[in-house]
Each structure stands twice: as structure tokens, then as C-alpha cells.
Amino acid sequence: MRQSQLQTEAADSSHHRSRVAIIGTGLAGLTTAYLVHHDQRKRYDVTLFEQADTLSLDAASVTLNNAKTGERERVDLPPRSFCRGYYKNLCRMYEHLGIGFQRIRLIWVYTKSSSTWQTEPTAEPRRADAMPGTYFTYNRRLHELLLLSPDFWHSSLRRILHTFYLAICHLWFLMACFLLRPRTSRPEPCLDAAAAAAAASAAGKSPSGCETLQQYLHRIRLPHQYYVYYLLPVLSVICSCSHAEMLDFPASDVVSFVKGSFLRKTFVPQGGVNRVQSTLSKGIKDVRLGARVTQVARVGQQGVLVRWQQTNDGGSGSRSAEDVFDRVVLAVSPNAAATIFSPSRCTLSVIPTAPVTSSILAPPSGDVSVAGAPSGGACSYRLGDAQVMEFRTTFHGGAAQSESSHFLRSGVVIRTSPSACIAEAERKGVLHVSRFTRTLRTTRSRGMVQRVMGGKGTWAPGDEEVWVNGKDNVWIVGSWCWDGLVLLEGCVVSAMKVAEDFGVGVPWSE
């Protein structure tokens, strides 16, 4: 009798599974899908929506064929490097999924340029000390600074003194990050929004009460030359933005990142993101590719309508379709979420975004070409000795912008720039181009994200009503949906938050 009753309850529960639509198949969307799909109580049916013809986590990556050596290598765009300190939840998830870590060693080269892009696509492995415009080379670890290289003591006195100056500035900044916390206080409650902004402006502070990176650097009296020429190029490349935009980031984001990544080794997932994508999506049967979602709206008491255009049905145009789900998760950029889900529009419009371009440049020999899909997701290009990462900064009219060039062993270069286009002079050397939308951070948007994600936030009194995560049975996830830099860790943390709201256990949580 008891066994029959359990079977009946199990059958009944299978007919009352909640339908969950997840829009977007990047790391945040796939992590959310994995957690919800593997709910131990089997309460949810997951449907994935993706506007591209393939899942998006690995969509921009390409496989290259070297005609000279016969080797094939998979190049991930954008690069997905991480370290154990700052990316603790990402690392736990990879370990749970059985995905190993492949260490990479990079030599950082700082260079200056008179133009936004180099005029000639000379993609070739470069010696760290032979790049045009180089003004410093750094091996990431303090004891491997160039000052300890064999030829250091043969250098000029000016170079020696300059290297010691940089070492002191670097230690100064690190000590400040560990000993002097950024200010994150809220405005006085007695002030309205306008008065709070005016008072903060008069005091040289952010209207939100949260300290910007620029304010923090001034407060710790970090030398201007150091952070303009050495700190901001790295940070702005990591966050894919200009120097001015980087200085507007909350100081707490940067300080947390520096502390979490201090003295940590850098890794990438073995097998690349192709393996991560296939592991997270395994077992999910309802995957709707070529489905561009145009609207998400609440219907009735519990339902959520999803309307989309199907673009890969083989016809000359696109056809519209719609379906009703119990819950919807938006794993897209804030501007995209605001467009398709109107209740979040006023809230998410505060969060700035910017275009980013990543391109793969061919070596001058022309031996490398774009091949087909990867075999087993192999990413052999990361093996071998340390690779060169160039931070090229353009200073023009009082503004500065940095781009990165990662020189691979095969002679291919991965170039990433906070820009939406590529100079015509370089198009002949470009094998592949991908464009992304990068979410930026400001002290104002930080307060809004905190509020949306269920935190106390720093939103000033008098602002409009804020939509919060889970309201109307709609959730958001993404690299920007947490209190930190817009990086991979935010994807995992926000997905774990949705799982918590759904009552789903996270197998890799502490």
C-alpha cells in the first residue's frame, strides 16, 4: 500500500512540474539551467532560448588549422581565465563538474601607441623586450620583475631607479587594498535625492555615498603616473572599458578583486569553454535555437508569457511564436533585459553597457586558417612556455584607452578592444571577429544592482520604484548581477541565488 501511494505521489508530481524558461545560454544561463534541471525533487522542466544557431557560451570561439604543422587549436573568445581566490564559486563548480584547470603563464608588456589600432596586422610571436613602444615588462609575480633578470644590473641608472619606483608604488597600492577599505556608506536619510547629490558633489564624493576608484586612488595618494600608465591599462582591459570609465567603477569592486587575486596562479578550463558548455547543458532536451525573444510579460496570476521570433526555420523570413511558463530567467545583458521585460526598464536603464570587439589576427605567413568545429574541445594553444600579453594604450586629447593583444604560440594574436569596429587597414589580417556587449559599473549602478538582487543597496531616497529579482516570477542572472567586477564569478553567484529562490540545492556550495 505504501509503495503504491509513493508511486501515485510521484506520478502526480510529474504532472505538476513547473516550467522554467531560461533566455540566454552564456555561463550564467547554462549554470542556472544545470542547477534547476538537476533539482533532486524533479520539480522543474527547463527550456533554453537562444537567438543564435548554437549555444552562446562557446559560440564566439573558433578552431584554427595550421597548414604548416597540421595542428588544430581551439581559441576561446573572450578568454575565460580565472584564479582560485576571487573565483571561488566558479572553481568549486568546475571541480564538481570534473573540469580540470590548465595553468597559463603570461608576461605583461606595457606599450604606448599614437593610434587606436596598429596600422599593420603583424601577428607574430613577440619577444617581450622587442615590442615597439614598450615602456615596461612585468611577469606578474613581484619576484619575477625585470629588475631581477640577468641583464638588469647592466641597465642604466635611470631604468634601475624607475623599476624600484614602480615596485614601491605596487606595494603601496597592495597595502592600501588590504588595510584601507573603500567607503561604501549611504547618503544621509534626511536628505532628498537632489540634496544628497549636491552635498556629495560639494564634498568631492559620489552621490550614492560609495567611493569611486578615482576617489579612492586620490585618498590613498597613489602617484598619478603609476595608476595611469601601469594600473589602469590592466584593469580597463579586464573590464573592457576606457580609463575614464574604469575610474568611475566602485572602488570596492577593484579592491576586492586585487585582494582575491593576490599571489594567485591563473588558470583556464581544460578543454576550453566548449567542454564547460557541453557539460552544463547535458540532459536538457528542450533547447530552442534561433529563437530571438522579443517580449516577456506577466499573464494571469502566475504565468509568464514568452514571445519570440523563430529565425532558423528554413523560411525566407521569421515567424512569431509564444508560450506561457511558470517562471522565466533572463540571462542577458541589462539593456536586453530592459527591452524585452518592460517592468524592469526603469530599473535596469541605470546600468551602463559598452561594445567590445575581439578579433583573431593571422600570422604574416598565412599558414593559419579557420577550420571547422573542435574535436573534443581541445585547446592546445595554452600549453608550453609563458606567453606574451601586450597592453597597448592610446593617449589622445587627455583621454586614454587600452587594448590587449595575446600572442599565441602558433603566431596567432587575440586582440580585444573596448570598441565596436576594426580599422580598415587591419581587415585583411583578421581571421575572425566577435562583438560583445560589456556591462560597466558605476557607484550608482552598484546600488541599483544591490537593490535588485535583494541587498540593502545604496539607492537614494526619492527614486522611482525599483523592480526586484523574482518579482512577477521573472529573475535575472549574469556576470553583472552581483556586487563585484563584471566577471565569470558573477555568473555563478547569480545562478546560485536563483537556485536558492527556487529551493534547489547547490552541490558545490559550502
Side-chain angles (χ1 to χ4, degrees):
M1 178 68 71
R2 178 59 178 169
Q3 182 177 1
S4 176
Q5 182 180 356
L6 291 175
Q7 290 175 347
T8 302
E9 291 177 354
D12 291 340
S13 63
S14 65
H15 293 294
H16 295 86
R17 292 160 67 104
S18 294
R19 301 186 67 210
V20 179
I22 299 177
I23 301 169
T25 58
L27 182 61
L30 292 183
T31 303
T32 306
Y34 176 87
L35 290 171
V36 176
H37 176 70
H38 287 86
D39 173 39
Q40 292 185 350
R41 297 168 61 184
K42 307 296 182 184
R43 293 168 293 172
Y44 303 101
D45 287 326
V46 175
T47 299
L48 289 174
F49 285 88
E50 173 55 53
Q51 65 177 353
D53 292 333
T54 60
L55 299 179
S56 66
L57 179 59
D58 189 49
S61 303
V62 296
T63 300
L64 302 179
N65 182 57
N66 192 317
K68 184 176 181 179
T69 64
E71 294 181 351
R72 292 163 64 90
E73 58 182 352
R74 185 69 170 173
V75 179
D76 289 340
L77 287 181
R80 269 84 168 196
S81 59
F82 58 91
C83 62
R84 285 190 178 274
Y86 190 73
Y87 299 84
K88 59 182 180 181
N89 290 290
L90 177 74
C91 290
R92 290 177 188 143
M93 183 184 75
Y94 282 168
E95 290 170 343
H96 169 76
L97 297 176
I99 296 173
F101 299 176
Q102 171 67 53
R103 186 187 175 190
I104 57 172
R105 295 180 61 240
L106 297 173
I107 298 174
W108 292 1
V109 181
Y110 296 83
T111 63
K112 290 189 293 186
S113 174
S114 58
S115 60
T116 303
W117 293 83
Q118 295 179 19
T119 55
E120 296 183 2
T122 53
E124 59 184 13
R126 301 276 189 92
R127 287 181 53 193
D129 57 351
M131 288 189 175
T134 298
Y135 58 90
F136 193 69
T137 302
Y138 179 44
N139 221 11
R140 270 208 94 171
R141 292 182 294 185
L142 190 59
H143 66 278
E144 290 182 350
L145 275 171
L146 194 61
L147 64 89
L148 296 181
S149 64
D151 63 341
F152 171 75
W153 299 110
H154 298 286
S155 302
S156 65
L157 177 62
R158 180 178 179 181
R159 180 182 176 187
I160 294 172
L161 294 176
H162 184 66
T163 304
F164 275 115
Y165 165 77
L166 294 179
I168 293 172
C169 290
H170 187 60
L171 290 174
W172 185 346
F173 177 63
L174 289 175
M175 290 176 62
C177 289
F178 281 94
L179 300 177
L180 191 61
R181 296 178 59 184
R183 294 168 179 159
T184 56
S185 60
R186 300 181 65 180
E188 292 297 327
C190 60
L191 298 175
D192 59 19
S201 178
K205 299 179 181 179
S206 168
S208 67
C210 176
E211 198 169 27
T212 66
L213 177 60
Q214 184 171 33
Q215 292 164 350
Y216 181 76
L217 295 178
H218 287 172
R219 181 158 66 94
I220 66 175
R221 300 186 183 277
L222 191 68
H224 180 267
Q225 183 189 37
Y226 172 75
Y227 72 74
V228 167
Y229 285 90
Y230 302 93
L231 181 62
L232 289 179
V234 177
L235 292 177
S236 64
V237 164
I238 291 173
C239 297
S240 304
C241 62
S242 68
H243 289 201
E245 291 167 332
M246 191 70 236
L247 288 171
D248 282 338
F249 271 53
S252 57
D253 288 4
V254 177
V255 169
S256 296
F257 177 78
V258 171
K259 292 166 64 176
S261 58
F262 180 62
L263 294 180
R264 298 285 185 169
K265 298 176 182 178
T266 302
F267 301 94
V268 290
Q270 287 184 347
V273 294
N274 180 268
R275 183 180 176 190
V276 177
Q277 174 178 280
S278 60
T279 304
L280 289 173
S281 61
K282 184 178 180 180
I284 300 177
K285 298 179 180 180
D286 192 358
V287 180
R288 306 183 186 184
L289 301 175
R292 184 173 66 86
V293 175
T294 58
Q295 184 183 16
V296 172
R298 178 74 176 270
V299 291
Q301 294 297 318
Q302 299 293 331
V304 184
L305 174 71
V306 176
R307 183 174 288 120
W308 70 94
Q309 289 184 333
Q310 194 69 45
T311 60
N312 63 351
D313 58 358
S316 57
S318 60
R319 61 180 178 84
S320 297
E322 61 183 42
D323 202 350
V324 176
F325 296 84
D326 298 296
R327 305 181 185 190
V328 171
V329 179
L330 303 177
V332 294
S333 61
N335 56 330
T339 299
I340 64 178
F341 183 54
S342 58
S344 70
R345 192 160 298 159
C346 291
T347 302
L348 300 185
S349 63
V350 173
I351 303 172
T353 60
V356 178
T357 300
S358 281
S359 56
I360 299 178
L361 307 184
S365 63
D367 293 328
V368 178
S369 59
V370 177
S375 176
C379 290
S380 59
Y381 74 86
R382 295 189 176 94
L383 303 178
D385 298 330
Q387 301 163 17
V388 173
M389 174 72 78
E390 178 189 12
F391 299 98
R392 178 167 291 271
T393 303
T394 302
F395 299 92
H396 180 71
Q401 179 171 292
S402 298
E403 64 185 21
S404 66
S405 293
H406 184 179
F407 292 81
L408 305 183
R409 184 178 54 175
S410 62
V412 170
V413 178
I414 306 174
R415 177 169 294 170
T416 303
S417 174
S419 172
C421 61
I422 296 178
E424 290 293 334
E426 285 211 331
R427 291 190 183 277
K428 62 180 181 181
V430 175
L431 291 175
H432 179 76
V433 177
S434 295
R435 294 178 175 86
F436 309 93
T437 297
R438 184 74 173 199
T439 304
L440 306 179
R441 290 271 284 179
T442 64
T443 55
R444 188 172 185 232
S445 69
R446 174 183 181 264
M448 179 58 80
V449 170
Q450 285 182 323
R451 182 75 172 271
V452 169
M453 299 306 293
K456 294 180 180 179
T458 56
W459 202 240
D463 287 317
E464 66 275 4
E465 182 182 355
V466 176
W467 175 84
V468 295
N469 209 26
K471 186 178 180 181
D472 303 317
N473 283 337
V474 176
W475 282 259
I476 56 173
V477 293
S479 57
W480 54 278
C481 298
W482 77 311
D483 193 23
L485 290 182
V486 184
L487 298 173
L488 297 177
E489 181 71 2
C491 296
V492 181
V493 170
S494 59
M496 292 169 62
K497 172 61 177 168
V498 170
E500 178 185 349
D501 290 348
F502 285 19
V504 174
V506 179
W508 59 79
S509 62
E510 291 182 325

